[in-house]
Amino acid sequence: MDRAGARPTISPMPPVAATVGLPWDTAVEDPVGALAKARRELGDTFVVDSGEDRYLFTFSPVGVVAFYGLPEERASKGLADWRMLRRKLPDEIFVGRRTLPHQLFGRDDVATYLANVERALDAAVDELGDAGEVDLFDFTRRLGHRVGLASWGGPGSASGARFDRLARAFDALDGSESFVHPDAMAAVAASGKATERAALAVVVEEVGLSLQELPGAEPGHGLFVRVAAAWADAPPVDRAVGVALDVALIHVASMSNLFAALGWMLVDLLTRPDELSRVRAGDRARAEVCALESTRLAQRSIMARYVVAPVTLDVGGARYEVGAGATVATLLPLTNTTAAAGLELWDPDRWNRRRLADPSALAAVELVTVFGHGRHTCPAQPFSLSTMTAAASRLFVAFDLEPGWEGHPQPVRNQIGGVARAAGPCPVRYRRR
């Protein structure tokens, strides 16, 4: 702790952004803009003291490389993510889990996911009917629920009344609200997370019914079978609750950003007819690089590592000894758009498959990212890109879509974390082709 006895030590002490806080602790209308201003004034490495926490932000090429290289056992991404999500989610969703999200995203699972995506798209297209109007991000959020629950929710969870109840429950339980609307977390805490606990009870009830219906339906629900098998030794009541909470954590952790990323991909394609035509014609490779580019620009993620044992962070020109209890962080919406000329523009040609085609203009390749780097690359990357490309291709083949908004949709200003959510409605008119 520092000499005041209240905060973790950092030595030598970098400049402190005295007027900047983070929105879950204090009112900040535009936290990304505030951190960008602090960077302009203080340089690429500075401290933010917010609430009871101390954050060491770094944006220099050497510092960002060092950030990604910090050992998990000393500076934990998992703990940093948990500290953010627990502002919204009940503690019981984290305790005693036997199947974690990364365990369901192995290379051999991709074929299973693709089949589930196609079934979910069948249902979503049927639900739209022949013509109408829908909010783009409402549609992609509902589609995300359907894809996820078809994959790991068990029999009956991705259709009918059970799906509708689960979708409403997961909307209420959405852990991403902790960073999309961080200003709302004080009210969540004051209520004792009453809304979230009620939603979790619905998930336990509905997934429990899916578990009862599993015998005989195993071939179509391989991932759910794996979740259920992890609880085979538990008493029936404990098993039902354990399976449901595993499913709940997998779903909120895996789907919180996918629907938003797909929404921005559709927004970008709808305003670029030539690219839309290529996707509609079945160019899956082009669709994938469009997905990467849209997600890159929509990133609002604060990448954070919670220090559990002292670490040294070399930022180039200075080395900082960071004490336990501090959080080391960088911010993707800043590095993703400023690390080289032209990065503020949407250009899928900058990608060659899932890598930058020419990173030579970057001082470090880690300065631009969509799914992370190194050992902390998101394990759901293949699943997410497959879902986005399949969904965009299917929608544009099935429908002619016309955007009903003016200008380019804007992100929620006080969001810091995850993929941007749209600040306002994004209506789309559609007609079956």
Side-chain angles (χ1 to χ4, degrees):
M1 294 292 174
D2 64 14
R3 62 179 177 270
R7 299 189 190 278
T9 57
I10 301 175
S11 180
M13 188 64 177
V16 178
T19 62
V20 177
L22 295 176
W24 41 78
D25 297 317
T26 186
V28 185
E29 183 179 355
D30 181 7
V32 172
L35 289 167
K37 182 174 183 289
R39 182 187 180 189
R40 290 193 298 270
E41 294 175 349
L42 302 176
D44 279 340
T45 303
F46 56 88
V47 163
V48 172
D49 286 334
S50 184
E52 298 180 354
D53 295 319
R54 170 162 283 173
Y55 298 82
L56 173 62
F57 280 92
T58 187
F59 297 99
S60 73
V62 174
V64 172
V65 172
F67 167 84
Y68 281 107
L70 290 173
E72 174 69 15
E73 64 273 14
R74 301 183 72 85
S76 174
K77 179 182 185 296
L79 273 176
D81 292 346
W82 171 77
R83 282 166 56 83
M84 182 173 287
L85 290 172
R86 73 185 298 265
R87 296 185 176 100
K88 169 71 172 176
L89 296 174
D91 287 343
E92 52 265 35
I93 201 172
F94 299 106
V95 178
R97 302 284 53 81
R98 296 190 181 184
T99 304
L100 297 174
H102 70 273
Q103 295 173 278
L104 296 187
F105 289 104
R107 188 181 301 274
D108 294 340
D109 297 321
V110 173
T112 297
Y113 284 124
L114 288 176
N116 291 332
V117 167
E118 292 300 329
R119 284 195 289 269
L121 285 167
D122 287 341
V125 167
D126 288 345
E127 191 172 75
L128 286 174
D130 291 332
E133 183 175 294
V134 67
D135 183 88
L136 192 61
F137 286 89
D138 286 347
F139 170 77
T140 59
R141 183 176 64 249
R142 185 169 173 83
L143 176 61
H145 287 321
R146 200 184 294 272
V147 168
L149 290 169
S151 298
W152 46 68
S157 66
S159 61
R162 185 173 302 160
F163 169 69
D164 288 333
R165 289 198 73 200
L166 283 167
R168 288 192 296 270
F170 279 118
D171 280 345
L173 198 61
D174 186 2
S176 69
E177 288 292 292
S178 62
F179 49 79
V180 176
H181 295 290
D183 53 316
M185 292 305 102
V188 171
S191 74
K193 302 179 182 175
T195 297
E196 291 72 22
R197 287 196 159 92
L200 198 57
V202 171
V203 173
V204 169
E205 178 183 352
E206 297 296 334
V207 174
L209 295 174
S210 295
L211 185 62
Q212 292 176 23
E213 296 170 11
L214 181 60
E218 290 90 348
H221 298 279
L223 300 178
F224 187 66
V225 168
R226 280 156 56 182
V227 176
W231 290 89
D233 63 343
V237 173
D238 293 344
R239 181 178 187 236
V241 173
V243 169
L245 293 182
D246 279 4
V247 168
L249 182 59
I250 290 163
H251 192 77
V252 298
S254 303
M255 305 308 295
S256 63
N257 289 308
L258 175 58
F259 81 83
L262 174 59
W264 291 111
M265 178 189 182
L266 297 176
V267 165
D268 290 329
L269 289 173
L270 282 169
T271 55
R272 295 170 174 85
D274 290 345
E275 296 291 349
L276 189 156
S277 295
R278 293 181 65 172
V279 173
R280 177 177 280 155
D283 190 339
R284 291 295 181 97
R286 191 62 177 180
E288 182 168 289
V289 295
C290 288
L292 284 163
E293 185 66 351
S294 293
T295 308
R296 178 185 71 84
L297 286 175
Q299 277 286 1
R300 302 281 286 188
S301 287
I302 176 172
M303 299 292 284
R305 309 289 290 274
Y306 184 73
V307 179
V308 294
V311 295
T312 300
L313 186 75
D314 184 349
V315 301
R319 293 167 62 89
Y320 296 99
E321 303 300 324
V322 186
T327 297
V328 184
T330 191
L331 194 64
L332 297 194
L334 300 189
T335 57
N336 268 359
T337 57
T338 66
L343 283 173
E344 73 280 6
L345 303 175
W346 189 87
D347 180 10
D349 286 331
R350 74 175 77 255
W351 297 95
N352 178 18
R353 298 173 67 89
R354 296 176 184 176
R355 297 181 181 274
L356 291 170
D358 181 12
S360 61
L362 297 175
V365 295
E366 289 85 352
L367 291 171
V368 174
T369 187
V370 176
F371 288 96
H373 286 284
R375 64 181 294 186
H376 288 300
T377 299
C378 176
Q381 180 188 41
F383 164 64
S384 299
L385 290 173
S386 296
T387 298
M388 293 171 71
T389 57
S393 300
R394 180 69 176 278
L395 289 171
F396 290 132
V397 167
F399 298 103
D400 287 317
L401 297 97
E402 180 183 354
W405 60 81
E406 295 183 4
H408 195 277
Q410 296 300 304
V412 174
R413 288 195 73 194
N414 66 348
Q415 178 178 345
I416 181 168
V419 174
R421 272 51 167 180
C426 294
V428 172
R429 294 178 290 276
Y430 63 90
R431 183 173 298 277
R432 196 177 292 269
R433 291 169 59 83

